[in-house]
Amino acid sequence: MTELAALKKFSARVGADPLLVQAAGGNTSLKQSGVMWIKASGTWLRDANSRDIFVPVRHEALLAALARNDPACEACTDFVLADLNATGLRPSIETTMHALMPQRVVVHVHCVNTIAWAIRGDAEQRLAEKLKDFNWAFIPYARPGLPLANAIAARLKPGTDVLVLGNHGLVVAAKTVVEAETILDRVVNVLLRPVRALVPPDLAALHLLCKGTDYAPAGNDETHALATDALALESGKNAVFYPDHVVFLGVGVATEVGSGAPLVAAPGKGVLIRGNAKPAVEPMGRCLADVMRRVEADDPLTALDSEAIGRLVNWDAEKYRQGLNVGV
Ligand SMILES: [Zn+2]
């Protein structure tokens, strides 16, 4: 099997695990012969084996542009090798992060257990104990794209192969896909958090709420926890802890069907999804509940402020990703 084929297989495995990747979140890459193959923006890692979701970019040219803080590094479309890019898709909005890591294989996931640590104000200190056996770095929150690339460059040391991105997720890098898989599994194991038991939904009550609307109850109990777990509901309504939350669910999860929102968390009853909601909505709702079931009420959490949220939702490359993410 070629290394790119191995990466696709690994990507599909990671993409099918909702505790690691949700919808179009997360991305993987491989550098070979001067070309970096990176997941396309808006595509789902889960589909890596069944459709062409990797885009070739010129690695050296991208690194040179990054070094001069070139705004072309925001969308990275200028660095795509058009002749090799069969699908015509754009590279991931997190391409610069992959380019900066010198290792051949880079894997970035929105690991639920990692995020439950990474949203704490004391994340760096707490993780220092947990990850003492790893060559790792903590990267304080920065908007994905150029700001995040610059934040990583400031903390990257030779040999660093694990990054925890504050209020965001996890990056693992290695020489081969097999090594990346091993490191990822080890890190995730070390960062496992106790998880609160699921409170099942009140399906009868949900069906009543749906009557005469185009809403239907969410498909699994993990998603319903966004409405049945008090801490998850509270956080969903009042705080934004990581980028994909606000990008896909907006600020403040809706609690009433009358809101017309794609996702409604009916307090104590469960979650409803609107018929024409994008396919990313339910996985993102579940992710938020999965993260919040791994934190406690007295954990010192740090939410994104309104300025950080504004920079995310007004970013052109991010608008493209959302527009494309109609589900496949
Ligand atoms: Zn990310």
Side-chain angles (χ1 to χ4, degrees), residues 16-22 110-114 188 286 290 294:
D17 183 347
L19 295 181
L20 291 178
V21 163
Q22 308 78 27
H110 295 160
C111 166
V112 161
N113 284 286
T114 305
V188 171
R286 173 182 172 166
D290 281 342
R294 286 163 174 80

Side-chain angles (χ1 to χ4, degrees), residues 198 201 203 206-207 215-225 263-264 270-274 279 281-283 285-286:
L198 284 167
L203 285 173
L206 289 178
H207 283 297
Y215 283 90
N220 57 66
D221 285 359
E222 284 83 357
T223 310
H224 287 300
L263 180 148
V264 169
V271 167
L272 301 172
I273 307 289
R274 209 179 60 200
V281 166
E282 178 163 1
R286 173 182 172 166

Side-chain angles (χ1 to χ4, degrees), residues 3 30-31 103-105 161 173-180 183:
E3 199 65 2
L30 170 70
K31 302 176 191 84
Q103 293 89 346
R104 286 181 69 215
V105 176
D161 56 10
K175 201 157 59 176
T176 65
V177 171
V178 170
E179 283 174 32
I183 299 173

Side-chain angles (χ1 to χ4, degrees), residues 18-22 25-26 108-121 123 127 138 163-170 187-188 191-193 240-245 284 287-288 290-292 294-295 299-302:
L19 295 181
L20 291 178
V21 163
Q22 308 78 27
H108 166 51
V109 289
H110 295 160
C111 166
V112 161
N113 284 286
T114 305
I115 295 173
W117 288 107
I119 61 178
R120 296 174 65 108
L127 289 168
F138 180 79
L163 304 177
V164 174
L165 310 178
N167 288 83
H168 184 159
L170 174 66
V187 173
V188 171
L191 297 186
L192 283 178
R193 304 258 308 190
V240 168
F241 288 111
Y242 53 91
D244 272 2
H245 167 179
M284 291 302 173
C287 178
L288 182 52
D290 281 342
V291 169
M292 297 317 299
R294 286 163 174 80
V295 304
D299 282 353
L301 304 187
T302 303

Side-chain angles (χ1 to χ4, degrees), residues 195-231:
V195 54
R196 259 193 315 287
L198 284 167
V199 179
D202 181 346
L203 285 173
L206 289 178
H207 283 297
L208 262 179
L209 284 174
C210 291
K211 233 178 173 178
T213 76
D214 61 347
Y215 283 90
N220 57 66
D221 285 359
E222 284 83 357
T223 310
H224 287 300
L226 188 53
T228 60
D229 183 282
L231 193 54

Side-chain angles (χ1 to χ4, degrees), residues 56-169:
V57 298
R58 289 176 291 133
H59 185 223
E60 285 297 325
L62 176 52
L63 279 181
L66 258 176
R68 56 175 190 270
N69 219 21
D70 188 334
C73 296
E74 285 286 31
C76 290
T77 45
D78 291 358
F79 310 101
V80 173
L81 283 153
D83 293 350
L84 294 177
N85 190 23
T87 60
L89 292 168
R90 277 195 194 188
S92 161
I93 58 171
E94 290 171 324
T95 296
T96 45
M97 179 170 78
H98 290 252
L100 268 181
M101 301 300 285
Q103 293 89 346
R104 286 181 69 215
V105 176
V106 180
V107 179
H108 166 51
V109 289
H110 295 160
C111 166
V112 161
N113 284 286
T114 305
I115 295 173
W117 288 107
I119 61 178
R120 296 174 65 108
D122 61 356
E124 187 168 6
Q125 298 89 309
R126 296 297 303 273
L127 289 168
E129 298 161 35
K130 293 270 165 195
L131 296 174
K132 61 183 185 312
D133 296 331
F134 293 87
N135 201 341
W136 79 291
F138 180 79
I139 312 297
Y141 176 79
R143 194 208 76 190
L146 259 181
L148 179 56
N150 289 331
I152 292 172
R155 291 205 169 193
L156 205 56
K157 295 197 177 93
T160 302
D161 56 10
V162 174
L163 304 177
V164 174
L165 310 178
N167 288 83
H168 184 159

